[in-house]
Amino acid sequence: VTRLPRHTTAARAYPITATTAAMSSASQHLAPAAARLPGAASRNRAPPVTRCGDVSAPEGRSVSSGRRALFLAAGVVASIPIPARPARASEASNLASLASQEPDAEIALEVWDEVVRLARRSGELATPTGGNWLYSRATCLGGLSRWTDAERAYAEAADVLELALESSAPGKRDRAGALTLALAHDGRSLALGALSDWPAAVDASRRALAAGGAAGVAENGGLDVPTTALLAGLRGGPPTVAQRLDFNAAMARWGAGDVGLAANQLARLDKGPSPVAGQGGQFWEARAALAAAFYANGSLPAAEAEWRQLCEPVGPNPPATPSDPFRKVVNRAAQGAFDAGGILMDKRCEDFSTGTPLPCDDAGIPGSGGNASPCLVFTDAETERRLWPANARLALRSFIRDGPEASRR
């Protein structure tokens, strides 16, 4: 078996100070983050921040008393003498738990930096857990659009996770490690695409697909995309890891200039289930990209047909019906109670983006002002946020500008 060459990344230089406890060390390196925590007077005036892995949903900065206490605790226990190596490993784990729950990406990144510093010194960074920490830090960097740093961080995480998988017991299949490895390669592919290095992005996506196969991402209906992954949770995006890896591989091919192969890959890609007959798959982003690929390939009728179906208004998903007889009865009773309560319910709502008054039970796609056509989601700004290649964005923009029949109705 020919092994793929590893990615080499320059080790980041972290300041090393003498300390009698890992917490004492942590307090020094986290001091800048603690100093930037807003006080009560300035909390409401703080600029919006971004969660790690989510470049789509900025929100106001909010610092809980628990988070503040955890930062202050670093200074409180600084004088307690603890053996250095075990303390560093333990403290890295504690800080990793903090970082994974931190909603402010900038603060989370500083905590992840400290986790990596401590784990590097303790030797814990070379373990599967260390690889997971490196992956989380890389996702934070991606969430902040620091693509050069994110690419290097994803590559380092992939190297560590790959070594851990190779050293695992023969015959033992580490699905969780392989899944994180696949997402690390996939994140690196996205970062390289954002840097317009599409040939390297194609190679990274190929590695992601190989690791995804080892993780069994397409088995038993497919694994859901983790909510912490870069670009996870975007409306109409890939619901499963297999769909995500296939889609990003196709878009990397398009970015590298092979629109024909990209169109073929997008056409074969699983577009997801359709809860309501005739509505098409719920993977709207892949369907929008396919319409643009058809157009770029000169297949205007196929592009029109795909876009027309994507522009068909979608209704709300029907209630789930359990297969178990007892649960089916309970579910039916609950639905009946909900319908009865709906008679007296105040159904006056408004669209959260536009303020347009809407009935709560027929409000269309959130943020669309009551419209229920999925094709309207994919504006030029939206596809840029989703890291589409520039040539793919140009194709969709040109297609819409030329006036597809569905847009004229």
Side-chain angles (χ1 to χ4, degrees):
V1 179
T2 303
R3 293 186 55 201
L4 297 173
R6 296 196 194 286
H7 311 291
T8 56
T9 57
R12 180 169 179 174
Y14 292 96
I16 299 177
T17 57
T19 178
T20 59
M23 266 293 196
S24 175
S25 178
S27 67
Q28 298 171 19
H29 292 272
L30 290 177
R36 287 202 305 274
L37 292 176
S42 63
R43 194 173 300 166
N44 294 331
R45 297 197 301 271
V49 297
T50 305
R51 290 181 184 272
C52 288
D54 180 3
V55 297
S56 64
E59 59 183 62
R61 177 175 303 198
S62 173
V63 181
S64 68
S65 58
R67 286 168 56 206
R68 185 183 297 278
L70 192 52
F71 278 112
L72 294 177
V76 172
V77 301
S79 60
I80 302 176
I82 305 175
R85 184 182 177 92
R88 289 193 193 106
S90 174
E91 179 57 14
S93 299
N94 292 337
L95 287 179
S97 178
L98 167 67
S100 65
Q101 300 175 46
E102 171 57 55
D104 185 320
E106 292 182 354
I107 293 178
L109 178 60
E110 294 202 14
V111 181
W112 280 122
D113 284 345
E114 180 65 9
V115 170
V116 170
R117 188 186 71 83
L118 292 170
R120 197 183 299 278
R121 293 178 63 186
S122 70
E124 199 173 5
L125 201 64
T127 67
T129 298
N132 290 333
W133 292 342
L134 287 167
Y135 166 76
S136 296
R137 176 178 176 272
T139 302
C140 252
L141 288 164
L144 291 168
S145 299
R146 290 173 53 178
W147 299 119
T148 299
D149 293 335
E151 186 274 324
R152 293 171 181 166
Y154 276 126
E156 184 179 9
D159 285 346
V160 170
L161 291 165
E162 211 164 60
L163 280 173
L165 286 172
E166 291 174 357
S167 60
S168 59
K172 183 180 178 182
R173 190 178 184 187
D174 183 3
R175 288 175 179 256
L179 173 61
T180 308
L181 175 60
L183 292 172
H185 284 308
D186 181 65
R188 181 169 178 263
S189 175
L190 291 171
L192 286 164
L195 295 169
S196 298
D197 189 351
W198 290 108
V202 169
D203 179 70
S205 66
R206 182 168 55 85
R207 295 169 185 265
L209 289 169
V217 296
E219 297 176 8
N220 301 318
L223 299 173
D224 291 342
V225 174
T227 57
T228 54
L230 185 65
L231 298 181
L234 293 178
R235 192 174 301 127
T240 69
V241 175
Q243 290 168 305
R244 174 189 175 99
L245 299 183
D246 287 340
F247 178 76
N248 288 339
M251 299 305 278
R253 287 288 184 182
W254 195 344
D258 197 342
V259 63
L261 180 58
N264 288 334
Q265 290 180 330
L266 289 168
R268 295 194 307 268
L269 193 151
D270 175 18
K271 308 300 191 302
S274 176
V276 179
Q279 285 190 355
Q282 291 181 309
F283 191 176
W284 299 341
E285 186 175 5
R287 294 166 61 191
L290 179 58
F294 280 148
Y295 176 82
N297 254 347
S299 303
L300 184 58
E304 289 270 9
E306 187 67 36
W307 194 255
R308 186 183 308 113
Q309 187 182 38
L310 185 60
C311 286
E312 289 293 332
V314 296
N317 291 340
T321 304
S323 57
D324 180 82
F326 176 75
R327 293 182 179 178
K328 185 180 295 185
V329 172
V330 173
N331 185 72
R332 188 180 298 115
Q335 289 294 332
F338 181 79
D339 292 340
I343 298 174
L344 303 176
M345 187 185 301
D346 185 351
K347 297 183 179 180
R348 291 172 297 176
C349 293
E350 64 181 30
D351 180 70
F352 71 81
S353 293
T354 64
T356 303
L358 300 168
C360 298
D361 57 354
D362 188 20
I365 298 172
S368 66
N371 200 298
S373 297
C375 65
L376 297 182
V377 171
F378 299 97
T379 62
D380 189 55
E382 180 67 18
T383 54
E384 181 179 16
R385 180 171 62 168
R386 293 173 187 242
L387 304 182
W388 281 28
N391 50 0
R393 291 175 46 223
L394 175 61
L396 183 60
R397 188 165 61 244
S398 301
F399 174 55
I400 294 175
R401 185 187 62 233
D402 288 349
E405 185 270 336
S407 300
R408 296 196 298 267
R409 290 186 296 172

